[in-house]
C-alpha cells in the first residue's frame, strides 16, 4: 500500500538517533515499512505513530498524522556495524525522452512509485 504525505520535520529518537516526522497515514503493523522519496528510493523506515489515546490524555488534543521513521543513514550505519552488506542502490529508470541516467521527472504516479521502490527495498530479518 502506498499513501502520500509530507516530511514535516526531525525529532530525536529514544536512542539518540534522528527520526523523520511525517504525515502519511499509517496503521498498526506499518513499522518496518519503507518511507519513500518521490523517485522511489528509500528515505527511511517507518518506526512509530503517536498513540492517540495517550497523546490526548497528556495534551488534551487529538494527534493528526504524527508518525516517525528512522533515517536510512542510521539504518545503513547499524547494518554496517553488524557486518551486513547491502546491495548498491540502482538509480531509478529515466523517463521516456529524458536525457541522462536516472533523471528525475518529478513525483511519480503511485503505481510507478511502487515499481521503482521494489529496487530500493530489501528484507532484513534479525535473530539473536
Amino acid at each position: 500500500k502506498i499513501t502520500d504525505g509530507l516530511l514535516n520535520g526531525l525529532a530525536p529518537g529514544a536512542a539518540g538517533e534522528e527520526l523523520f516526522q511525517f504525515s502519511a497515514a499509517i496503521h498498526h503493523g506499518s513499522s518496518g515499512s519503507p518511507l519513500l522519496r518521490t523517485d522511489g528510493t528509500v528515505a527511511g523506515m517507518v518506526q512509530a505513530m503517536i498513540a492517540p489515546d495517550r497523546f490526548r490524555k497528556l495534551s488534551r488534543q487529538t494527534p493528526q498524522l504524527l508518525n516517525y521513521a528512522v533515517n536510512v543513514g542510521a539504518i545503513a550505519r547499524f547494518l554496517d556495524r553488524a557486518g551486513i552488506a547491502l546491495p548498491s542502490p540502482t538509480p531509478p529508470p529515466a523517463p521516456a525522452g529524458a536525457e541522462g541516467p536516472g533523471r528525475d521527472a518529478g513525483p511519480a504516479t503511485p503505481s510507478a512509485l511502487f515499481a521503482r521502490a521494489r529496487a530500493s527495498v530489501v528484507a532484513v530479518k534479525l535473530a539473536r
Side-chain angles (χ1 to χ4, degrees):
K1 178 178 177 181
I2 291 182
T3 59
D4 63 354
L6 297 173
L7 181 62
N8 298 321
L10 301 173
E17 75 279 22
E18 190 172 79
L19 302 176
F20 291 130
Q21 180 184 339
F22 66 97
S23 66
I26 62 171
H27 303 285
H28 181 73
S30 294
S31 294
S33 299
L35 179 68
L36 302 173
R37 296 180 183 97
T38 57
D39 68 357
T41 57
V42 176
M45 181 179 68
V46 174
Q47 181 184 36
M49 60 187 232
I50 292 294
D53 294 337
R54 184 172 180 217
F55 187 88
R56 208 176 359 261
K57 184 178 179 181
L58 293 171
S59 70
R60 298 181 187 237
Q61 297 178 11
T62 301
Q64 296 181 7
L65 300 173
L66 289 175
N67 307 307
Y68 296 92
V70 178
N71 181 318
V72 73
I75 296 167
R77 287 187 297 278
F78 170 81
L79 294 173
D80 185 55
R81 284 192 307 268
I84 300 170
L86 293 175
S88 297
T90 55
E99 293 181 20
R103 183 172 170 178
D104 188 7
T109 64
S111 60
L113 182 60
F114 182 80
R116 290 179 186 174
R118 286 183 182 195
S120 298
V121 178
V122 295
V124 176
K125 182 176 180 180
L126 301 175
R128 290 184 184 197

